Amino acid sequence: MLAAAGLLARQIDITNHATLILVLASPVLMLAVPAAGLWFLLRRRWVPATCAGVGTGLLVAVLAPHPGSTVDGPEIRVMSANVLQDGADPGAVLALARRHADVVSIQELTPGGLTQMSAMGIDKDFPYRIVRPEAGGSGAGLWSRYPLHDAGMVSEPIPITARVEVPGTATPPTVVVVHLSAPWPWPIEWWRNDIAFAAESLDRLEGTVVAAGDFNSTRDMAQFRRILDSGYRGAGVFAPTYPADSVIPPVLPIDHVLVRNGSSSRTWTAEIQGSDHRAVFATVQIPK
């Protein structure tokens, strides 16, 4: 029953904080199936153990990420980091970017944070940028080793879009900086409106699209899976990024690098001192 409740919770839209908590708890609830299977095995109750094994297999088939097909083409390394306004260490952010990224999506970029990162030399390593620093959590920035053009600033959930001139590609991919409102503790309507807007906006984009940022959403949320249903994929790796400033390790994969009409072969995360999110990295293949 617990597993069925968890599976059902994933199918419903999140409309309030109660359904949010239920959906976030659904992976734990669904662990009841393999746990029951182990219990039956230890007691040599073969029929229920077999049933639990079949149920576990079905759950894996339903829940496993689907990375999609691999694209043969040039690679770019994408980094996304929520820098917690002025909380994150800008030197740590820049060190990670220099070592592991070609394109950098920053969320919660403040005017002070921009000044610090520029003083430390980010514009030398990433000479192309589009920035929208704001006090509070709505600021954003996009830095690239490759030229940026057709820049657009849509709205707060998608503050920046731009095409990146990746060498070896006939059509430049579009990179999108994403930052959705948190569904907790703020009014759930803010998140619902943001994810609906993001899903519609991302669906309208053509060509290869790389959406990188703080989606404040996991694959267990039905509204987020609508973005995946429109063709966006990650690398199929469980990469939790939040909370990164707690005594417990991160448990929620809410920061993502998603790709449509391309592929992602590797995703990993790294700690950023002072931020409540881990940075997320992906190696993205762009069609020739």
Side-chain angles (χ1 to χ4, degrees):
M1 292 297 292
L2 290 176
L7 189 59
L8 178 61
R10 296 180 80 255
Q11 312 310 314
I12 62 175
D13 278 359
I14 295 172
T15 57
N16 52 49
H17 287 134
T19 53
L20 170 67
I21 293 170
L22 180 61
V23 168
L24 292 179
S26 62
V28 177
L29 295 176
M30 287 182 285
L31 288 175
V33 174
L38 179 60
W39 189 86
F40 288 131
L41 277 175
L42 292 175
R43 283 151 183 79
R44 300 185 179 183
R45 298 179 60 182
W46 309 121
V47 173
T50 301
C51 292
V54 172
T56 299
L58 291 174
L59 286 177
V60 170
V62 170
L63 301 179
H66 301 289
S69 58
T70 301
V71 170
D72 181 22
E75 291 185 344
I76 57 171
R77 301 169 301 161
V78 181
M79 170 183 173
S80 175
N82 182 322
V83 296
L84 191 60
Q85 301 176 44
D86 292 322
D89 178 357
V93 175
L94 184 52
L96 286 169
R98 282 171 169 160
R99 179 175 296 183
H100 301 294
D102 302 307
V103 176
V104 183
S105 166
I106 299 291
Q107 305 92 52
E108 299 197 15
L109 179 69
T110 65
L114 175 60
T115 299
Q116 287 185 302
M117 293 179 70
S118 294
M120 290 182 177
I122 189 172
D123 300 314
K124 294 180 181 178
D125 294 277
F126 301 88
Y128 306 98
R129 75 177 197 180
I130 302 167
V131 293
R132 183 187 173 187
E134 298 282 352
S138 60
L142 178 66
W143 278 266
S144 173
R145 298 185 190 272
Y146 308 123
L148 300 172
H149 65 87
D150 294 342
M153 296 183 181
V154 183
S155 78
E156 192 166 307
I158 300 182
I160 298 171
T161 65
R163 288 192 177 272
V164 183
E165 293 284 358
V166 179
T169 59
T171 303
T174 298
V175 176
V176 183
V177 180
V178 180
H179 188 199
L180 275 59
S181 298
W184 176 275
W186 316 119
I188 198 71
E189 288 77 14
W190 296 1
W191 175 83
R192 283 169 52 84
N193 292 337
D194 277 2
I195 198 164
F197 179 89
E200 182 180 353
S201 299
L202 291 173
D203 189 48
R204 287 201 304 263
L205 294 173
E206 298 179 349
T208 300
V209 184
V210 181
D214 177 6
F215 285 78
N216 269 308
S217 307
T218 74
R219 292 185 70 257
D220 298 304
M221 300 177 176
Q223 286 105 314
F224 178 69
R225 290 201 306 279
R226 293 196 184 109
I227 295 175
L228 305 182
D229 291 342
S230 67
Y232 286 89
R233 293 288 184 270
V237 176
F238 180 70
T241 57
Y242 183 87
D245 58 350
S246 172
V247 294
I248 63 173
V251 294
L252 297 176
I254 62 174
D255 299 86
H256 304 275
V257 177
L258 302 179
V259 187
R260 186 169 72 176
N261 297 324
S263 62
S264 178
S265 61
R266 181 171 180 244
T267 295
W268 57 282
T269 69
E271 179 183 3
I272 298 177
Q273 184 177 355
S275 177
D276 56 345
H277 292 245
R278 290 176 69 87
V280 62
F281 301 81
T283 301
V284 175
Q285 291 77 36
I286 308 297
K288 296 178 181 179

